[in-house]
Amino acid sequence: MSSHLKESCKRILQRLQQKEVVEFSCVLCDLHVRGQDILMQHLITGHHIHCVHFDNVSDLPEFLQHLSQLLHRGSSLSHWSCPVCGEDTHSADVEKLLQHSQQKGHATWGPSSIPSLSKWCVMLDEEEGAVEATELVTSSAAAAVSTSAADHPDDDDAAWEEMEEEGDEDGDWSCGCVCLYCDYAGDDVLEHLKAVHHFDFRAVVQRRPDVQTVYDLIRIVNAVRRAVAADRCPFDEHCAVDGGHNDRAALEQHLMTEHSHRLPARVSEDDAGLIPVLPGDAFISMLVASDAGFFTAEAEDPDFPMVPTVQELAAAARQGKT
């Protein structure tokens, strides 16, 4: 593996270790946030912009600075320009840019759509390189933990207590569940879907024969989030509500009328559909933690098949005699 790739992986690891400390500024508004995950979530939910995952960016401040330069390369520094095609909106209103991005399909910002961003992106195509990069980050993290333990041998109890406290905080994932169709977030998101959007998520997925595993649920959630972020109907690409000539309110009105369009017509099978659209999506965490509650029946474990009870055997014997 090249020295450049090693250095990039190390820088990513260092940033992840300080993810709750480092402050970033949004390139589209005046918001300042702590942590790259919060920034990614803000870009998606606040501006409907999907950047390359920041875990794959070696130098995030430089990446954001370059992106900001692309956004203001027009006739005036106050005017917004599309970083994908370079079109100058001739306006200081960011909504003009966001409208252009949705209409032209330029809302995904990454190396594939903006080649100049590849300078800061660690995107490995070869499986061997990906394994090496993973091993590097893992070994570096392990070395950091070992060094810390050696320097502070008497801090084991305190470290365990801190980890347990963090675990308790992480366990309360439900309080951050973001609705699939609006910006509401709360531990009663399923009830919110029923009351506000007239949509019983659990009942609908239980009736679908193509939803068999938790992976199917994850793909559905990501497909819906991706479509709603673009003000597009999640059902399929043939629906007239394509995000080009409608806004979020029009989309919701359409979904209120066409209840079957709340979810995709079919569940995709590609692995890309498993990548969370919303970083740290608590809705997906909820599904993973309680997947059995979203299926009509659990699949039988072939290693531990269900054995009929004595009553069932007796009933079967009686039926055989009649």
Side-chain angles (χ1 to χ4, degrees):
M1 184 167 54
S2 67
S3 58
H4 173 71
L5 180 56
K6 288 183 179 180
E7 183 62 29
S8 297
C9 291
K10 289 180 179 178
R11 296 178 75 174
I12 292 173
L13 176 62
Q14 290 173 355
R15 189 176 71 247
L16 291 177
Q17 291 173 336
Q18 300 178 348
K19 63 179 181 179
E20 302 300 333
V21 178
V22 181
E23 184 176 282
F24 299 102
S25 301
C26 177
V27 294
L28 296 172
C29 66
D30 297 329
L31 182 70
H32 295 268
V33 299
R34 288 189 180 275
Q36 63 178 42
D37 289 348
I38 298 179
L39 178 59
M40 281 193 67
Q41 181 172 340
H42 166 71
L43 287 171
I44 295 172
T45 59
H47 302 297
H48 310 309
I49 294 296
H50 298 264
C51 277
V52 61
H53 202 293
F54 291 159
D55 281 356
N56 296 325
V57 178
S58 59
D59 193 322
L60 188 53
E62 285 191 7
F63 174 91
L64 295 174
Q65 182 180 8
H66 177 70
L67 195 54
S68 180
Q69 292 173 350
L70 295 178
L71 289 166
H72 298 283
R73 58 180 170 178
S75 56
S76 172
L77 290 178
S78 63
H79 291 174
W80 293 95
S81 297
C82 176
V84 177
C85 67
E87 180 175 326
D88 189 347
T89 64
H90 300 288
S91 173
D93 185 1
V94 70
E95 291 301 324
K96 295 291 185 181
L97 169 66
L98 298 178
Q99 184 179 7
H100 162 87
S101 299
Q102 298 299 329
Q103 291 178 347
K104 300 295 184 180
H106 293 173
T108 300
W109 297 352
S112 58
S113 58
I114 309 174
S116 60
L117 294 178
S118 59
K119 176 181 177 181
W120 295 278
C121 296
V122 180
M123 307 296 287
L124 296 175
D125 295 329
E126 298 181 4
E127 183 177 354
E128 181 180 357
V131 172
E132 289 180 355
T134 303
E135 290 177 348
L136 173 65
V137 174
T138 305
S139 61
S140 298
V145 172
S146 300
T147 302
S148 176
D151 293 341
H152 306 281
D154 298 328
D155 292 346
D156 289 348
D157 293 339
W160 277 111
E161 291 177 1
E162 183 178 352
M163 290 175 64
E164 289 176 355
E165 291 177 359
E166 291 178 354
D168 293 339
E169 293 177 359
D170 293 340
D172 191 18
W173 43 260
S174 59
C175 63
C177 285
V178 179
C179 176
L180 298 176
Y181 307 103
C182 68
D183 296 331
Y184 174 83
D187 57 356
D188 59 343
V189 66
L190 293 179
E191 293 302 319
H192 163 82
L193 285 169
K194 292 180 185 178
V196 177
H197 302 286
H198 302 165
F199 179 61
D200 190 337
F201 180 85
R202 188 191 303 272
V204 171
V205 297
Q206 284 181 342
R207 291 196 297 266
R208 290 188 56 150
D210 58 343
V211 179
Q212 299 292 329
T213 69
V214 69
Y215 300 110
D216 295 330
L217 291 175
I218 294 173
R219 290 186 175 100
I220 283 179
V221 170
N222 286 327
V224 172
R225 291 211 187 280
R226 192 174 295 107
V228 172
D231 296 332
R232 174 171 50 82
C233 177
F235 190 69
D236 61 26
E237 66 275 11
H238 302 298
C239 183
V241 183
D242 57 2
H245 304 87
N246 61 274
D247 56 11
R248 183 66 57 83
L251 171 62
E252 180 61 22
Q253 184 178 3
H254 164 75
L255 296 177
M256 281 289 193
T257 305
E258 301 290 341
H259 296 289
S260 62
H261 285 204
R262 286 282 183 188
L263 299 181
R266 63 180 185 84
V267 181
S268 67
E269 298 180 357
D270 62 318
D271 292 339
L274 297 174
I275 301 175
V277 173
L278 191 65
D281 196 336
F283 197 103
I284 290 179
S285 298
M286 174 188 65
L287 299 180
V288 173
S290 57
D291 59 338
F294 291 89
F295 302 109
T296 54
E298 294 188 57
E300 183 177 294
D301 191 333
D303 294 330
F304 300 94
M306 295 297 292
V307 179
T309 63
V310 175
Q311 291 83 353
E312 290 173 339
L313 291 173
R318 286 195 299 270
Q319 291 178 357
K321 292 179 180 180
T322 58

